[in-house]
Amino acid sequence: MTELNGVDDIHGFFQFASDSDSDDGLFVAARDRKKDFDVTQIIYTPQIDQDAWFDRSNASVAEWAAEHNGLDEITYTVQRLYFKREYTRAVDLCKQMVKAYVARYENARVASIREIIDIGARSAIHVEDLESTRYFYEWYEQCGGMNPGYNSFRAHVLAKLSRWEEALEQHIMYLEQRHQDAEVWENIGLALVSLSQTHEVDTKLHEPLLRLAVGSYCRAFSIIHGCKNWKQTDAAVRRKRIQTTRLWQNAVCAAQYLSIPVDSSNKNAEDEPTWQKLQAEVTGGQSWLTDMLNMCSTSLHKSLVWIASQLADGPSEGNDADEEEKNVAEL
């Protein structure tokens, strides 16, 4: 080891030399540098402890939205208003936010406020504000989407606006991605019943549409009944009972419109043979289906062909589904 200008050279590495008896060395023990600090002097309250710390809805929404955390704070605020059931305030704030955002970014970034538009539409539905519902729906369409949630939400809003043919189209687009959804098949049945009661379709279509609605309810029941993964907890069993009872009541109501005798007792709601018998009585034969497809409009025809093809021989996938639809289309 050699020493050069106060630096020790050990095996080619340099090492600073220091006087262990001096406090002026480069490395001083941490305890020697530690300073006492009075923590009671810290004045800080976590925002999480302040109720609605993010709610500044009394301020200018345009200025609020332009701030760094403005979008997040407005989103939190409309969520809170929705869950507190302050739907009118939620609708108003969502509208102001959409206008402020579009004024700043035009339509280029409207998808960034999809959740706000979604909550605005749901809030408007709760207070039966159809004008605001249409307003939010038009903006939601511009957000675009290629997922089942997008189609499900559009179908939900379109049904509230009584735009049944468009709602059916969205339900079908959803089922093409998620085949086994009993609730959507139930909603298809409800849409067909509602469509049969409007003046938008020929009166000769009313009976065939009701028959197709009952078939949709039967499909919903078969999905629920055939599910092998249904949990046996009290909540799950109760939900299944409520859902099947609601389906049965809807099916009975449609059957009564068709003057088909059926035992309306809820004890039949989970009885598979009863459902099968009802389906055979209501949807048996092809003459009513042929007449329906010949009379319906072009826009409705495609949806009805798809529904009828799915109900023809039970659930099917891939090429089988395409072939079945082709067979029904030839009727």
Side-chain angles (χ1 to χ4, degrees):
M1 180 178 70
T2 62
E3 184 174 332
L4 179 63
N5 295 331
V7 179
D8 293 336
D9 180 10
I10 305 177
H11 302 297
F13 293 95
F14 290 96
Q15 192 175 53
F16 290 101
S18 62
D19 186 356
S20 59
D21 296 331
S22 173
D23 290 336
D24 298 328
L26 292 175
F27 304 105
V28 181
R31 62 178 180 274
D32 296 332
R33 301 196 308 271
K34 185 176 180 181
K35 296 181 179 180
D36 293 331
F37 187 81
D38 186 3
V39 294
T40 61
Q41 295 180 7
I42 300 176
I43 302 175
Y44 172 71
T45 302
Q47 289 181 322
I48 195 65
D49 293 339
Q50 300 178 28
D51 186 36
W53 59 269
F54 44 79
D55 188 349
R56 293 187 286 137
S57 49
N58 293 328
S60 166
V61 175
E63 295 178 1
W64 186 12
E67 294 180 8
H68 180 66
N69 294 320
L71 176 57
D72 290 335
E73 292 176 355
I74 293 173
T75 303
Y76 300 154
T77 302
V78 296
Q79 288 173 342
R80 183 172 183 270
L81 292 173
Y82 183 82
F83 286 118
K84 289 182 66 179
R85 301 184 180 181
E86 296 183 31
Y87 301 125
T88 303
R89 284 187 62 197
V91 169
D92 183 59
L93 180 56
C94 289
K95 271 189 175 181
Q96 291 184 60
M97 178 57 184
V98 172
K99 291 176 182 177
Y101 214 73
V102 171
R104 186 178 183 188
Y105 298 109
E106 296 183 351
N107 296 354
R109 297 179 59 181
V110 69
S112 302
I113 55 173
R114 181 195 298 269
E115 185 175 358
I116 291 174
I117 297 172
D118 183 311
I119 295 173
R122 294 180 189 276
S123 300
I125 289 171
H126 276 291
V127 295
E128 299 182 354
D129 184 351
L130 295 183
E131 182 180 349
S132 295
T133 303
R134 292 189 193 94
Y135 174 83
F136 289 117
Y137 178 77
E138 289 171 1
W139 282 112
Y140 192 83
E141 272 190 302
Q142 296 189 38
C143 293
M146 295 294 292
N147 57 77
Y150 175 74
N151 302 121
S152 176
F153 179 75
R154 288 187 62 186
H156 174 66
V157 177
L158 287 166
K160 295 299 180 182
L161 295 174
S162 299
R163 292 161 60 174
W164 302 112
E165 290 188 29
E166 295 173 78
L168 283 174
E169 291 174 1
Q170 293 302 317
H171 284 314
I172 289 171
M173 292 175 70
Y174 175 93
L175 286 174
E176 286 175 339
Q177 300 171 78
R178 292 182 179 172
H179 309 286
Q180 301 289 80
D181 193 319
E183 189 171 352
V184 175
W185 274 107
E186 180 183 0
N187 290 336
I188 286 177
L190 293 171
L192 290 169
V193 170
S194 299
L195 190 60
S196 73
Q197 297 173 348
T198 67
H199 300 292
E200 299 175 11
V201 297
D202 192 315
T203 54
K204 295 179 180 179
L205 276 173
H206 291 184
E207 180 178 328
L209 288 172
L210 287 172
R211 290 181 180 275
L212 206 58
V214 174
S216 299
Y217 295 140
C218 292
R219 167 56 61 84
F221 172 79
S222 68
I223 291 173
I224 295 172
H225 185 75
C227 179
K228 305 301 182 183
N229 300 322
W230 202 284
K231 294 182 179 180
Q232 297 303 311
T233 61
D234 291 342
V237 171
R238 183 169 62 252
R239 177 186 172 187
K240 181 179 181 180
R241 183 173 62 251
I242 291 172
Q243 194 169 359
T244 52
T245 300
R246 186 179 65 236
L247 272 173
W248 178 248
Q249 291 171 347
N250 288 333
V252 167
C253 184
Q256 289 174 344
Y257 271 118
L258 295 167
S259 301
I260 295 176
V262 58
D263 183 359
S264 60
S265 174
N266 288 337
K267 67 181 181 181
N268 295 318
E270 297 187 46
D271 184 49
E272 185 179 15
T274 303
W275 277 97
Q276 292 173 342
K277 180 181 178 182
L278 176 63
Q279 183 173 12
E281 291 179 354
V282 174
T283 62
Q286 293 289 339
S287 60
W288 66 271
L289 178 59
T290 305
D291 294 340
M292 178 185 68
L293 296 178
N294 288 335
M295 289 185 291
C296 66
S297 63
T298 304
S299 59
L300 183 58
H301 184 274
K302 184 177 180 180
S303 296
L304 297 184
V305 166
W306 189 92
I307 295 169
S309 68
Q310 297 297 306
L311 298 179
D313 289 313
S316 55
E317 298 179 2
N319 295 331
D320 293 339
D322 296 336
E323 186 65 28
E324 195 61 54
E325 186 168 345
K326 179 181 176 182
N327 293 338
V328 174
E330 292 173 350
L331 292 174

